[in-house]
Amino acid sequence: MTDSLLLQLVVLLALTATGLALFERLRLPAIAGFLVAGAVAGPGGFGIVDEPDSVRALAELGVVFLLFEIGFELPLERVRRLWRMALLAGGAQMLVTGGVVAGIGLALGLDGSQAFVLAAVVAMSSTALVMRILGERGQLHAPQGQLALSILVFQDLSIVPLLLALPLIQGHGGGGKELVLSLLQVVAALVAVFAVVRFAVPRLLTGGARRRSSDLFSLMALFVVLGSAYFAEQVGLTLAVGAFLAGLAAGDSPYSSQMFSEVIPLRGVLLGIFFTAVGMLFEPSVVTNHAAELLLYLGAATI
């Protein structure tokens, strides 16, 4: 680790703690404090951290641990019900939202590919942001929390097909057959990842626990979370989906309580860094140059 990266991590931790303390004192959402702290310190602010990309990969681990925790606390029977809800609610949300946005884009003069990209972006949600808000309100296990989770999982699974569909929309792809094949690949990857983590995770945790070494078990717990996320990404899914499936598998292990106490404390710190890093993307010039479009988008999103 270079001195520059270490310094930026130290600054990020200080900013994250400052934003959290200040906004909690004002009784405002902690996420807003993280975002404001990142905007102030980023390239668009005072430039205290001028290379946020170098720490964003580390910050994204917060999302991985968050999705692991969510999967960890869900019984498999409830997950079976969630998949039905995900297909119905998630599919309806993306089709309706995307269709409306694409129609508006076409009416404003955008071509087909531009309208498609705009619709796909607007139809997506931030898993970290939504889950953090629901967690703070104690609504993760409420009906609305389960509905939100099912939609978010569907959106994560839709990322790869949407990216593969873009060349087809632009006329550079091989036709609808390629898109169908990509959908089948996503389903196959999902089944493969779940089968692997379902088989391997409990055995890894059992093997680590039988050695009666707390250090070894801690390492095995981190390996399970990060290894599952990495494996999912390599087969075409997202880090978040891999962590979620690992959480489902770990929840059935007899050593689940011990694993929970090992890895979950890291989640809060990494999520704080994640939102602070997101705040560093703020560019004042973009706001001033596109104020009308921004107000229009905010108004449409609020309705």
Side-chain angles (χ1 to χ4, degrees), residues 11-35:
V11 171
L12 264 181
L13 287 172
L15 290 171
T16 301
T18 302
L20 177 61
L22 177 60
F23 274 66
E24 284 191 343
R25 186 177 182 84
L26 297 174
R27 297 183 179 180
L28 295 173
I31 293 176
F34 298 144
L35 294 173

Side-chain angles (χ1 to χ4, degrees), residues 75-91:
L76 284 177
E77 181 58 35
R78 189 183 300 174
V79 172
R80 294 188 184 99
R81 296 196 300 269
L82 276 179
W83 282 120
R84 302 188 192 101
M85 188 185 300
L87 290 174
L88 294 174

Side-chain angles (χ1 to χ4, degrees), residues 69-70 72-75 78 134 138-146:
E69 178 186 2
I70 293 170
F72 188 91
E73 294 178 343
L74 282 177
R78 189 183 300 174
L134 290 174
Q139 297 178 349
L140 275 177
H141 300 290
Q144 64 269 28
Q146 299 300 289

Side-chain angles (χ1 to χ4, degrees), residues 284-302:
S285 60
V286 175
V287 176
T288 56
N289 294 335
H290 303 278
E293 294 92 333
L294 179 61
L295 291 174
L296 179 62
Y297 177 79
L298 290 175
T302 304

Side-chain angles (χ1 to χ4, degrees), residues 199-222:
F199 174 81
V201 168
R203 287 164 176 76
L204 287 171
L205 295 179
T206 300
R210 286 177 176 174
R211 301 296 185 276
R212 301 185 183 277
S213 169
S214 59
D215 292 334
L216 177 61
F217 188 86
S218 299
L219 290 173
M220 293 300 292
L222 287 175

Side-chain angles (χ1 to χ4, degrees), residues 136-193:
E136 290 178 347
R137 296 177 178 177
Q139 297 178 349
L140 275 177
H141 300 290
Q144 64 269 28
Q146 299 300 289
L147 177 61
L149 174 61
S150 64
I151 293 174
L152 291 168
V153 170
F154 185 88
Q155 290 176 353
D156 282 334
L157 293 174
S158 301
I159 291 175
V160 174
L162 286 174
L163 292 175
L164 292 174
L166 185 57
L168 304 181
I169 298 296
Q170 295 175 324
H172 302 307
K177 182 179 179 180
E178 185 176 341
L179 182 58
V180 172
L181 288 176
S182 70
L183 291 172
L184 293 176
Q185 288 172 358
V186 170
V187 174
L190 184 63
V191 173
V193 172

Side-chain angles (χ1 to χ4, degrees), residues 214-252:
S214 59
D215 292 334
L216 177 61
F217 188 86
S218 299
L219 290 173
M220 293 300 292
L222 287 175
F223 174 75
V224 164
V225 178
L226 300 181
S228 300
Y230 177 78
F231 175 57
E233 186 181 46
Q234 294 304 302
V235 297
L237 301 175
T238 64
L239 295 172
V241 170
F244 178 75
L245 295 178
L248 290 176
D252 284 344

Side-chain angles (χ1 to χ4, degrees), residues 89-110:
Q93 179 270 327
M94 292 198 66
L95 285 174
V96 172
T97 305
V100 171
V101 174
I104 294 174
L106 292 172
L108 293 176
L110 299 180

